Amino acid sequence: MKNLFKRSAIAFVMVFGLSNTYAQNTPLEVVGKMYEAFGKGDMDGLKLTVSDNSVWVYEGPKEIPYTGTYNGKDGAVKFISNIASNVDILDFKVNKMVADGNTVIVLGFEKQKIKKNGKILEQKWVQVYTVENGLITRMEEYANTDGAKRLFA
């Protein structure tokens, strides 16, 4: 999985100029650390940013194979693994991150090739993170699930 997300890490670090050392763990920095680990395919590092009781939710119809609710650190990794087992990520970009208190809103874009049929899914997405005590306690993702549903069908 490490090579799968390598481009994502490079793009993320180029856009946000993040390093592995932070002066403090603001919600924005915690989410930034999570994206760095994700981009490197470092699931152990990703788990370090996630609460044991974290809930990750991808809203969408059942035709999208990674739709659902995922619980805990292992659930966050399972969500990412479910995506990786169903699509090849051709492009993944974080375009903007905005923090308001313990909430971080991330706007992004992805291009994926669906493994079962070779169709290309390109879409913008929004992820909303809640960070408490320096750990991600909730992630909700919203995307054009109607378009994705048609491509997965």
Side-chain angles (χ1 to χ4, degrees):
M1 201 183 290
K2 288 186 183 208
N3 291 330
L4 181 64
F5 302 111
K6 188 172 186 177
R7 266 187 273 173
S8 304
I10 293 168
F12 183 78
V13 172
M14 287 174 54
V15 171
F16 292 99
L18 295 175
S19 68
N20 289 329
T21 305
Y22 296 94
Q24 52 185 319
N25 285 323
T26 67
L28 195 62
E29 291 166 339
V30 171
V31 174
K33 285 182 182 181
M34 185 280 302
Y35 274 111
E36 282 187 283
F38 166 78
K40 294 175 186 173
D42 177 7
M43 295 301 107
D44 289 331
L46 184 138
K47 285 170 135 180
L48 292 175
T49 66
V50 177
S51 163
D52 289 332
N53 299 318
S54 188
V55 177
W56 288 42
V57 180
Y58 184 88
E59 302 286 351
K62 64 179 174 30
E63 289 83 359
I64 301 172
Y66 38 85
T67 293
T69 300
Y70 301 82
N71 296 297
K73 294 174 183 276
D74 290 335
V77 171
K78 183 171 174 60
F79 169 64
I80 293 166
S81 297
N82 282 352
I83 293 170
S85 66
N86 285 284
V87 302
D88 291 319
I89 297 175
L90 305 176
D91 195 11
F92 180 89
K93 293 180 184 157
V94 171
N95 296 325
K96 187 171 193 172
M97 292 175 64
V98 179
D100 181 21
N102 69 340
T103 301
V104 178
I105 300 168
V106 184
L107 307 175
F109 169 82
E110 63 193 3
K111 181 176 181 180
Q112 305 171 342
K113 182 177 180 182
I114 298 170
K115 289 181 178 181
K116 74 175 187 175
N117 61 24
K119 293 180 181 178
I120 302 295
L121 168 63
E122 293 185 72
Q123 64 183 2
K124 293 178 182 177
W125 48 261
V126 176
Q127 293 178 339
V128 180
Y129 291 87
T130 303
V131 179
E132 297 171 343
N133 301 315
L135 295 171
I136 297 167
T137 58
R138 187 168 185 85
M139 187 287 294
E140 296 175 75
E141 182 170 340
Y142 304 93
N144 179 2
T145 56
D146 187 54
K149 174 184 171 181
R150 284 185 267 124
L151 292 172
F152 274 103

